[in-house]
Amino acid sequence: MKRCPCDCQVTSETRKTNEVRIQNDMSIATPTQPKAPPEPEVRIGGLLAEFTSAADVVAAAKQLRTAGYRNLEVHSPHAIHGIDKVLGAKRPPLPWAAIAGGVIGLAGGLWMAWWMNAVDYPLIISGKPMFSFLPSLPVAFELAILLAAFAVFGGTIALGGLPRPANRLFRVPSFARATNDRFFIAVEQSDEAFGSGETKHLLYDAGSVGVESIPIVDQRESRLPRPFVLTAIVLSVLALIPPVLIAKARYTTSTTPRLSFISDMDHQPKFKAQTTNSLFADGRSMRPQVAGTIAQGDLREDSAFYRGIRKESGNTENVADVDIADGTFLISVPSEENTPPAASSAAAGTPDWVTKFPVEVDEKLIRRGKQRYEIYCATCHGIGGDGDGLVTLRALELEQGTWVRPTSLHAEPIRKQPVGQLYNTIANGVRKMPGYAAQIPVKDRWAIVSYVKALQKTRTATAKDVPSDVLPNMRKLK
Amino acid sequence: MATATVNEFDNTLIDPAVRPPLMTGENSLGSITEQVAALAERPKPPRAWTITFAISSSLTVMLFALIGYLIVTGVGVWGNNSPVAWGWPIVNFVFWVGIGHAGTLISAILFLFRQDWRTSINRFAEAMTIFAVTCAGIFPAIHIGRVWFVYWLAPLPNSLAMWPNFRSPLLWDVFAVTAYATVSAMFWYLGMLPDLATLRDRATSRIRKIAYGIASLGWTGSSKQWRLFEMAYLLLAALATPLVLSVHTIVSFDFAVSQVPGWHTTIFPPYFVAGAVFSGFAMVITLMVPARQFFGLKNLVTLRHLENMCKIVLATGMMVGYAYATEFFIAWYGGNEYEQFAFINRALGPYAWAYWTMVSCNVLAPQLFWFKSVRTTPWAMVVICVLVNVGMWFERFVITVTSLSRDFLPSSWGYFTPTLVDVLMFVGSFGLFFTLFLLFCRFLPMVAMAEVKSVLPAKSENETVPV
């Protein structure tokens, strides 16, 4: 046992002083120079005692604990088993962190699989159920482990008070061996039982090979070095630039085409429609259809359905439609640029319009028609069909004189038109009205016709037309 | 203590009455620090290091140049083509992931089983794991073709309003490998904190002080930190153990969940895991033997460590051999003619050469480890372990390529030929692996000093602390 190298007498008065001011460590360690000039008084943060073995440090910690010290910390190059009991330390709550992380990961994984694949974007895979437990498990399992590990790792760092680059213990030179081959006990000055001289004795008695005082470090000194702070600020400001730019791009509009860093498949070495090509004799990239063939879905045998004209009737020539007659080209002729069929109808004779819907008309179809009508027709014809759509109003306001006001759908002649003719108007247009065959599929055209018929009915119908069971609830209908 | 130069002490003898020492020679806390830390503190690396580093870093540069070429040109630079759409990149991926299993196994599973001998080799093996997983991760990432869309693999909200398919093993794989890489890295880093602090406290130059100071996060070895450290280590080990088993299981699902004959078998998960441990340990031995030689670590990494690892290689090698046999048995017993064809085709078809290379390297070569003289002769181990890794690469090649090249539709059968880019990329991945590894040997504590210190035999009776 090493004795304290000094012969000083420690009185019990010094014991409970909270603000301990003692002579500089050197003057205590070298009492042989009694005439030394008075050193400036230094406040110390505590004492650091060095030991050579794990057993010594455990024994010493035991002694200090029995002497009533509570603010002790042992530093060692490797984990010492049993020290926690001596120091009366509690088990860290890391397992709970792990469990919490695991549960969140598992639940989160399952939730992702369910919400993403079954709710937000239902993904049908070989007719399997949208969500089932087993195939969702691997991801949930991995996430459970990952989050539990994050919790443990983060918990260790946070509870261990790390990262802590500045620590006043590092100011004691001998402390460098704490991570090598020496063991240390640090007694905090704030400890109830602390008395600098007395504690020092106790530590030497307990087998320490050297006791040094822990300096109190000025707050300013332990701050991060200025270059670090500056770099951190500059970097974080720079790091903000990309997200800000992205946010700006997302929430503003621009007339220039979007930036594309990687052109992906935008540019492909292939021939595009309407371009020339030296491979073929006719110099065209687009190839004509082989004579006598019909493309899939283009065989429109059901005349009533596709053209609104009864099949038996031969009088169809003047209805512009998909024309495959000469087998060289397949182009749908926009009616606008051709002789308006209705205009010349007197000359060529009226086609034999179908008068009954070639599709089944039910509420669903009419509703669909309403929706399509409001998309495609209402802009010109107005929601109510009076020829007062927004585009029309605007055009009239501009007073350019070129705008033909759309016919009111409630006009007598239009009301009398057979469904086939209405259909034809939608598909091929009429006089100044363009055809909508390119935008509106056949079935939807009929849906619109059914809706137009319904719309017309709203102006002429009387209570008698309404079925008696519906009549009482009419107002409530939507 | 410079005992490493003295005749090697044989601690492989088994005397049931005496526990063989974990380390040989006289070691003390200080000598261990001195020995291990000195390796990371040498002002100039040894010549062998410089030469290998020059080679491996050039290969790494080549790898990244080839990746650039691949990205600019497209995956057509590889030999992958119908019907073998999964060629070398996937073979290399599975190969490297497999190697990356030994580290966590040594660290976590052996830790849970309280195998104290692991302390000398775990840091090394963990580093190897992380570097192998790095190499592994590169291949599937570049295999997706349009690398810049790699984030589509993650469930991130995107302008397509689409989510990844959670019923696909390929997605599971993304999660498994990422989780594995992350957890292994955390495990490795946490375990290294005390040793980084040692290097910090010994550092003399300012750069080293700052670098190790930041890396060690201000570790002081307080009992509070150790308490957390030990518990965290235990918990991470407990978490990493099922993780490591799940990773190769899920990698095997990439194959097993499909319908391709030769892939669609339930034996794959255990078979893959055993193979992974097998190849991982073989790799640890391959690296450990020269490392302990060059860095004078023979007293810490003793012959007994090597011998123990050889035994694991032997055991897992036989599991792999058993799996090969079972595959054939089930093909016959299951009565599925496509599967039967797939296996007959493996052993006797156009890839028979690959199949038999695999069998001789993986099943026959490790049998030499039955002999103690082989198990205790370092150069013999290295030879066998290199063969094992060759065999394990061929195993993945056989599984991937033979099954794909001849599946249900004979009209689309084909024979896979790798391109030069395939070969050079694989070579380059070794370059990357060794580059990272050499950097690790140069700048980080190669042996877990703190852990070795805690299993040092106590000097005297009163050193041991009653718990």
PDB file of all heavy atoms in Angstrom, chain A residues 327-356:
ATOM      1  N   GLY A 327     -57.280  -0.309 -99.457  1.00  0.00           N
ATOM      2  CA  GLY A 327     -56.278  -1.184 -98.848  1.00  0.00           C
ATOM      3  C   GLY A 327     -54.905  -0.585 -98.803  1.00  0.00           C
ATOM      4  O   GLY A 327     -53.931  -1.263 -98.536  1.00  0.00           O
ATOM      5  N   THR A 328     -54.757   0.708 -99.067  1.00  0.00           N
ATOM      6  CA  THR A 328     -53.414   1.275 -98.996  1.00  0.00           C
ATOM      7  C   THR A 328     -53.220   2.097 -97.738  1.00  0.00           C
ATOM      8  O   THR A 328     -52.157   2.096 -97.158  1.00  0.00           O
ATOM      9  CB  THR A 328     -53.122   2.167-100.205  1.00  0.00           C
ATOM     10  OG1 THR A 328     -54.189   3.098-100.316  1.00  0.00           O
ATOM     11  CG2 THR A 328     -52.978   1.367-101.460  1.00  0.00           C
ATOM     12  N   PHE A 329     -54.251   2.761 -97.301  1.00  0.00           N
ATOM     13  CA  PHE A 329     -54.075   3.642 -96.152  1.00  0.00           C
ATOM     14  C   PHE A 329     -55.177   3.445 -95.149  1.00  0.00           C
ATOM     15  O   PHE A 329     -56.287   3.063 -95.496  1.00  0.00           O
ATOM     16  CB  PHE A 329     -54.076   5.096 -96.603  1.00  0.00           C
ATOM     17  CG  PHE A 329     -52.729   5.706 -96.460  1.00  0.00           C
ATOM     18  CD1 PHE A 329     -52.048   6.192 -97.558  1.00  0.00           C
ATOM     19  CD2 PHE A 329     -52.123   5.775 -95.211  1.00  0.00           C
ATOM     20  CE1 PHE A 329     -50.802   6.729 -97.414  1.00  0.00           C
ATOM     21  CE2 PHE A 329     -50.872   6.315 -95.082  1.00  0.00           C
ATOM     22  CZ  PHE A 329     -50.200   6.798 -96.188  1.00  0.00           C
ATOM     23  N   LEU A 330     -54.866   3.732 -93.944  1.00  0.00           N
ATOM     24  CA  LEU A 330     -55.881   3.607 -92.924  1.00  0.00           C
ATOM     25  C   LEU A 330     -55.887   4.910 -92.154  1.00  0.00           C
ATOM     26  O   LEU A 330     -55.107   5.123 -91.250  1.00  0.00           O
ATOM     27  CB  LEU A 330     -55.544   2.451 -91.989  1.00  0.00           C
ATOM     28  CG  LEU A 330     -56.580   2.208 -90.922  1.00  0.00           C
ATOM     29  CD1 LEU A 330     -57.844   1.645 -91.528  1.00  0.00           C
ATOM     30  CD2 LEU A 330     -56.032   1.266 -89.876  1.00  0.00           C
ATOM     31  N   ILE A 331     -56.682   5.801 -92.580  1.00  0.00           N
ATOM     32  CA  ILE A 331     -56.679   7.100 -91.920  1.00  0.00           C
ATOM     33  C   ILE A 331     -58.114   7.478 -91.628  1.00  0.00           C
ATOM     34  O   ILE A 331     -59.004   7.298 -92.457  1.00  0.00           O
ATOM     35  CB  ILE A 331     -56.070   8.178 -92.831  1.00  0.00           C
ATOM     36  CG1 ILE A 331     -54.612   7.813 -93.129  1.00  0.00           C
ATOM     37  CG2 ILE A 331     -56.148   9.546 -92.190  1.00  0.00           C
ATOM     38  CD1 ILE A 331     -53.987   8.732 -94.116  1.00  0.00           C
ATOM     39  N   SER A 332     -58.309   7.999 -90.449  1.00  0.00           N
ATOM     40  CA  SER A 332     -59.662   8.467 -90.184  1.00  0.00           C
ATOM     41  C   SER A 332     -59.732   9.909 -90.648  1.00  0.00           C
ATOM     42  O   SER A 332     -58.912  10.740 -90.278  1.00  0.00           O
ATOM     43  CB  SER A 332     -59.969   8.291 -88.697  1.00  0.00           C
ATOM     44  OG  SER A 332     -60.245   9.509 -88.114  1.00  0.00           O
ATOM     45  N   VAL A 333     -60.678  10.177 -91.499  1.00  0.00           N
ATOM     46  CA  VAL A 333     -60.716  11.491 -92.156  1.00  0.00           C
ATOM     47  C   VAL A 333     -61.469  12.472 -91.281  1.00  0.00           C
ATOM     48  O   VAL A 333     -62.634  12.259 -90.964  1.00  0.00           O
ATOM     49  CB  VAL A 333     -61.417  11.377 -93.523  1.00  0.00           C
ATOM     50  CG1 VAL A 333     -61.391  12.714 -94.236  1.00  0.00           C
ATOM     51  CG2 VAL A 333     -60.752  10.292 -94.340  1.00  0.00           C
ATOM     52  N   PRO A 334     -60.818  13.525 -90.867  1.00  0.00           N
ATOM     53  CA  PRO A 334     -61.525  14.499 -90.046  1.00  0.00           C
ATOM     54  C   PRO A 334     -62.608  15.167 -90.890  1.00  0.00           C
ATOM     55  O   PRO A 334     -62.338  15.644 -91.989  1.00  0.00           O
ATOM     56  CB  PRO A 334     -60.456  15.508 -89.642  1.00  0.00           C
ATOM     57  CG  PRO A 334     -59.154  14.944 -90.109  1.00  0.00           C
ATOM     58  CD  PRO A 334     -59.463  13.958 -91.176  1.00  0.00           C
ATOM     59  N   SER A 335     -63.785  15.175 -90.358  1.00  0.00           N
ATOM     60  CA  SER A 335     -64.924  15.613 -91.163  1.00  0.00           C
ATOM     61  C   SER A 335     -64.831  17.087 -91.518  1.00  0.00           C
ATOM     62  O   SER A 335     -65.318  17.525 -92.527  1.00  0.00           O
ATOM     63  CB  SER A 335     -66.213  15.361 -90.411  1.00  0.00           C
ATOM     64  OG  SER A 335     -66.196  16.167 -89.252  1.00  0.00           O
ATOM     65  N   GLU A 336     -64.155  17.838 -90.632  1.00  0.00           N
ATOM     66  CA  GLU A 336     -64.089  19.276 -90.839  1.00  0.00           C
ATOM     67  C   GLU A 336     -63.563  19.624 -92.228  1.00  0.00           C
ATOM     68  O   GLU A 336     -64.025  20.551 -92.871  1.00  0.00           O
ATOM     69  CB  GLU A 336     -63.154  19.884 -89.792  1.00  0.00           C
ATOM     70  CG  GLU A 336     -63.647  21.193 -89.280  1.00  0.00           C
ATOM     71  CD  GLU A 336     -62.711  21.719 -88.216  1.00  0.00           C
ATOM     72  OE1 GLU A 336     -61.618  21.134 -88.038  1.00  0.00           O
ATOM     73  OE2 GLU A 336     -63.055  22.701 -87.574  1.00  0.00           O
ATOM     74  N   GLU A 337     -62.565  18.863 -92.641  1.00  0.00           N
ATOM     75  CA  GLU A 337     -61.953  19.205 -93.910  1.00  0.00           C
ATOM     76  C   GLU A 337     -62.669  18.583 -95.103  1.00  0.00           C
ATOM     77  O   GLU A 337     -62.270  18.768 -96.243  1.00  0.00           O
ATOM     78  CB  GLU A 337     -60.485  18.759 -93.893  1.00  0.00           C
ATOM     79  CG  GLU A 337     -59.648  19.690 -93.057  1.00  0.00           C
ATOM     80  CD  GLU A 337     -58.475  18.983 -92.449  1.00  0.00           C
ATOM     81  OE1 GLU A 337     -57.931  18.058 -93.087  1.00  0.00           O
ATOM     82  OE2 GLU A 337     -58.098  19.366 -91.320  1.00  0.00           O
ATOM     83  N   ASN A 338     -63.665  17.802 -94.825  1.00  0.00           N
ATOM     84  CA  ASN A 338     -64.400  17.213 -95.936  1.00  0.00           C
ATOM     85  C   ASN A 338     -65.756  17.897 -96.087  1.00  0.00           C
ATOM     86  O   ASN A 338     -66.126  18.751 -95.294  1.00  0.00           O
ATOM     87  CB  ASN A 338     -64.611  15.721 -95.672  1.00  0.00           C
ATOM     88  CG  ASN A 338     -63.339  14.957 -95.964  1.00  0.00           C
ATOM     89  OD1 ASN A 338     -63.039  14.680 -97.111  1.00  0.00           O
ATOM     90  ND2 ASN A 338     -62.576  14.676 -94.917  1.00  0.00           N
ATOM     91  N   THR A 339     -66.416  17.466 -97.033  1.00  0.00           N
ATOM     92  CA  THR A 339     -67.753  18.008 -97.208  1.00  0.00           C
ATOM     93  C   THR A 339     -68.575  17.663 -95.982  1.00  0.00           C
ATOM     94  O   THR A 339     -68.654  16.496 -95.612  1.00  0.00           O
ATOM     95  CB  THR A 339     -68.434  17.349 -98.423  1.00  0.00           C
ATOM     96  OG1 THR A 339     -67.430  17.012 -99.346  1.00  0.00           O
ATOM     97  CG2 THR A 339     -69.495  18.241 -98.979  1.00  0.00           C
ATOM     98  N   PRO A 340     -69.118  18.664 -95.320  1.00  0.00           N
ATOM     99  CA  PRO A 340     -69.918  18.342 -94.148  1.00  0.00           C
ATOM    100  C   PRO A 340     -71.069  17.434 -94.550  1.00  0.00           C
ATOM    101  O   PRO A 340     -71.818  17.771 -95.471  1.00  0.00           O
ATOM    102  CB  PRO A 340     -70.436  19.706 -93.691  1.00  0.00           C
ATOM    103  CG  PRO A 340     -69.568  20.699 -94.356  1.00  0.00           C
ATOM    104  CD  PRO A 340     -69.079  20.084 -95.617  1.00  0.00           C
ATOM    105  N   PRO A 341     -71.186  16.294 -93.924  1.00  0.00           N
ATOM    106  CA  PRO A 341     -72.163  15.314 -94.368  1.00  0.00           C
ATOM    107  C   PRO A 341     -73.583  15.864 -94.267  1.00  0.00           C
ATOM    108  O   PRO A 341     -74.366  15.702 -95.196  1.00  0.00           O
ATOM    109  CB  PRO A 341     -71.973  14.139 -93.412  1.00  0.00           C
ATOM    110  CG  PRO A 341     -71.170  14.688 -92.267  1.00  0.00           C
ATOM    111  CD  PRO A 341     -70.396  15.848 -92.792  1.00  0.00           C
ATOM    112  N   ALA A 342     -73.853  16.523 -93.159  1.00  0.00           N
ATOM    113  CA  ALA A 342     -75.230  16.967 -92.980  1.00  0.00           C
ATOM    114  C   ALA A 342     -75.590  18.049 -94.002  1.00  0.00           C
ATOM    115  O   ALA A 342     -76.712  18.137 -94.454  1.00  0.00           O
ATOM    116  CB  ALA A 342     -75.431  17.482 -91.576  1.00  0.00           C
ATOM    117  N   ALA A 343     -74.557  18.853 -94.337  1.00  0.00           N
ATOM    118  CA  ALA A 343     -74.829  19.941 -95.275  1.00  0.00           C
ATOM    119  C   ALA A 343     -75.256  19.397 -96.627  1.00  0.00           C
ATOM    120  O   ALA A 343     -76.131  19.927 -97.280  1.00  0.00           O
ATOM    121  CB  ALA A 343     -73.591  20.810 -95.437  1.00  0.00           C
ATOM    122  N   SER A 344     -74.618  18.308 -96.991  1.00  0.00           N
ATOM    123  CA  SER A 344     -74.901  17.781 -98.317  1.00  0.00           C
ATOM    124  C   SER A 344     -75.964  16.688 -98.264  1.00  0.00           C
ATOM    125  O   SER A 344     -76.179  15.992 -99.236  1.00  0.00           O
ATOM    126  CB  SER A 344     -73.623  17.234 -98.940  1.00  0.00           C
ATOM    127  OG  SER A 344     -73.070  16.278 -98.065  1.00  0.00           O
ATOM    128  N   SER A 345     -76.555  16.552 -97.084  1.00  0.00           N
ATOM    129  CA  SER A 345     -77.442  15.411 -96.926  1.00  0.00           C
ATOM    130  C   SER A 345     -78.646  15.492 -97.870  1.00  0.00           C
ATOM    131  O   SER A 345     -79.143  14.479 -98.338  1.00  0.00           O
ATOM    132  CB  SER A 345     -77.918  15.289 -95.479  1.00  0.00           C
ATOM    133  OG  SER A 345     -78.702  16.422 -95.171  1.00  0.00           O
ATOM    134  N   ALA A 346     -79.059  16.726 -98.071  1.00  0.00           N
ATOM    135  CA  ALA A 346     -80.224  16.865 -98.946  1.00  0.00           C
ATOM    136  C   ALA A 346     -79.948  16.259-100.316  1.00  0.00           C
ATOM    137  O   ALA A 346     -80.778  15.578-100.894  1.00  0.00           O
ATOM    138  CB  ALA A 346     -80.587  18.335 -99.089  1.00  0.00           C
ATOM    139  N   ALA A 347     -78.703  16.510-100.782  1.00  0.00           N
ATOM    140  CA  ALA A 347     -78.349  16.028-102.103  1.00  0.00           C
ATOM    141  C   ALA A 347     -78.190  14.520-102.120  1.00  0.00           C
ATOM    142  O   ALA A 347     -78.675  13.850-103.026  1.00  0.00           O
ATOM    143  CB  ALA A 347     -77.053  16.697-102.572  1.00  0.00           C
ATOM    144  N   ALA A 348     -77.509  13.991-101.119  1.00  0.00           N
ATOM    145  CA  ALA A 348     -77.161  12.582-101.177  1.00  0.00           C
ATOM    146  C   ALA A 348     -78.189  11.693-100.510  1.00  0.00           C
ATOM    147  O   ALA A 348     -78.048  10.490-100.509  1.00  0.00           O
ATOM    148  CB  ALA A 348     -75.792  12.376-100.524  1.00  0.00           C
ATOM    149  N   GLY A 349     -79.187  12.330 -99.916  1.00  0.00           N
ATOM    150  CA  GLY A 349     -80.179  11.510 -99.229  1.00  0.00           C
ATOM    151  C   GLY A 349     -79.767  11.255 -97.802  1.00  0.00           C
ATOM    152  O   GLY A 349     -78.587  11.101 -97.523  1.00  0.00           O
ATOM    153  N   THR A 350     -80.702  11.249 -96.903  1.00  0.00           N
ATOM    154  CA  THR A 350     -80.371  11.087 -95.492  1.00  0.00           C
ATOM    155  C   THR A 350     -80.003   9.639 -95.210  1.00  0.00           C
ATOM    156  O   THR A 350     -80.669   8.730 -95.694  1.00  0.00           O
ATOM    157  CB  THR A 350     -81.585  11.459 -94.622  1.00  0.00           C
ATOM    158  OG1 THR A 350     -82.223  12.572 -95.228  1.00  0.00           O
ATOM    159  CG2 THR A 350     -81.161  11.764 -93.218  1.00  0.00           C
ATOM    160  N   PRO A 351     -78.914   9.447 -94.460  1.00  0.00           N
ATOM    161  CA  PRO A 351     -78.580   8.071 -94.084  1.00  0.00           C
ATOM    162  C   PRO A 351     -79.676   7.496 -93.185  1.00  0.00           C
ATOM    163  O   PRO A 351     -80.420   8.232 -92.555  1.00  0.00           O
ATOM    164  CB  PRO A 351     -77.273   8.205 -93.306  1.00  0.00           C
ATOM    165  CG  PRO A 351     -76.796   9.600 -93.533  1.00  0.00           C
ATOM    166  CD  PRO A 351     -77.986  10.416 -93.901  1.00  0.00           C
ATOM    167  N   ASP A 352     -79.679   6.191 -93.125  1.00  0.00           N
ATOM    168  CA  ASP A 352     -80.705   5.515 -92.349  1.00  0.00           C
ATOM    169  C   ASP A 352     -80.284   5.429 -90.884  1.00  0.00           C
ATOM    170  O   ASP A 352     -79.777   4.419 -90.416  1.00  0.00           O
ATOM    171  CB  ASP A 352     -80.892   4.109 -92.944  1.00  0.00           C
ATOM    172  CG  ASP A 352     -82.130   3.457 -92.397  1.00  0.00           C
ATOM    173  OD1 ASP A 352     -82.851   4.110 -91.619  1.00  0.00           O
ATOM    174  OD2 ASP A 352     -82.355   2.284 -92.756  1.00  0.00           O
ATOM    175  N   TRP A 353     -80.430   6.552 -90.136  1.00  0.00           N
ATOM    176  CA  TRP A 353     -79.950   6.585 -88.751  1.00  0.00           C
ATOM    177  C   TRP A 353     -80.658   5.555 -87.897  1.00  0.00           C
ATOM    178  O   TRP A 353     -81.841   5.346 -88.064  1.00  0.00           O
ATOM    179  CB  TRP A 353     -80.205   7.966 -88.119  1.00  0.00           C
ATOM    180  CG  TRP A 353     -79.601   9.117 -88.862  1.00  0.00           C
ATOM    181  CD1 TRP A 353     -80.266  10.153 -89.418  1.00  0.00           C
ATOM    182  CD2 TRP A 353     -78.221   9.350 -89.082  1.00  0.00           C
ATOM    183  NE1 TRP A 353     -79.401  11.031 -89.991  1.00  0.00           N
ATOM    184  CE2 TRP A 353     -78.114  10.556 -89.802  1.00  0.00           C
ATOM    185  CE3 TRP A 353     -77.050   8.654 -88.775  1.00  0.00           C
ATOM    186  CZ2 TRP A 353     -76.900  11.075 -90.205  1.00  0.00           C
ATOM    187  CZ3 TRP A 353     -75.843   9.180 -89.171  1.00  0.00           C
ATOM    188  CH2 TRP A 353     -75.768  10.386 -89.879  1.00  0.00           C
ATOM    189  N   VAL A 354     -79.934   4.983 -86.998  1.00  0.00           N
ATOM    190  CA  VAL A 354     -80.617   4.094 -86.047  1.00  0.00           C
ATOM    191  C   VAL A 354     -81.444   4.954 -85.110  1.00  0.00           C
ATOM    192  O   VAL A 354     -81.040   6.061 -84.739  1.00  0.00           O
ATOM    193  CB  VAL A 354     -79.655   3.203 -85.223  1.00  0.00           C
ATOM    194  CG1 VAL A 354     -79.073   2.118 -86.057  1.00  0.00           C
ATOM    195  CG2 VAL A 354     -78.579   4.020 -84.561  1.00  0.00           C
ATOM    196  N   THR A 355     -82.571   4.442 -84.708  1.00  0.00           N
ATOM    197  CA  THR A 355     -83.428   5.210 -83.816  1.00  0.00           C
ATOM    198  C   THR A 355     -83.440   4.603 -82.427  1.00  0.00           C
ATOM    199  O   THR A 355     -83.865   5.234 -81.468  1.00  0.00           O
ATOM    200  CB  THR A 355     -84.852   5.228 -84.351  1.00  0.00           C
ATOM    201  OG1 THR A 355     -85.192   3.899 -84.747  1.00  0.00           O
ATOM    202  CG2 THR A 355     -84.971   6.159 -85.559  1.00  0.00           C
ATOM    203  N   LYS A 356     -82.972   3.345 -82.357  1.00  0.00           N
ATOM    204  CA  LYS A 356     -82.897   2.723 -81.024  1.00  0.00           C
ATOM    205  C   LYS A 356     -81.430   2.536 -80.656  1.00  0.00           C
ATOM    206  O   LYS A 356     -80.603   2.260 -81.529  1.00  0.00           O
ATOM    207  CB  LYS A 356     -83.599   1.362 -81.045  1.00  0.00           C
ATOM    208  CG  LYS A 356     -85.089   1.507 -80.769  1.00  0.00           C
ATOM    209  CD  LYS A 356     -85.835   0.208 -80.990  1.00  0.00           C
ATOM    210  CE  LYS A 356     -85.460  -0.871 -79.993  1.00  0.00           C
ATOM    211  NZ  LYS A 356     -86.019  -2.172 -80.434  1.00  0.00           N
TER     212      LYS A 356
END
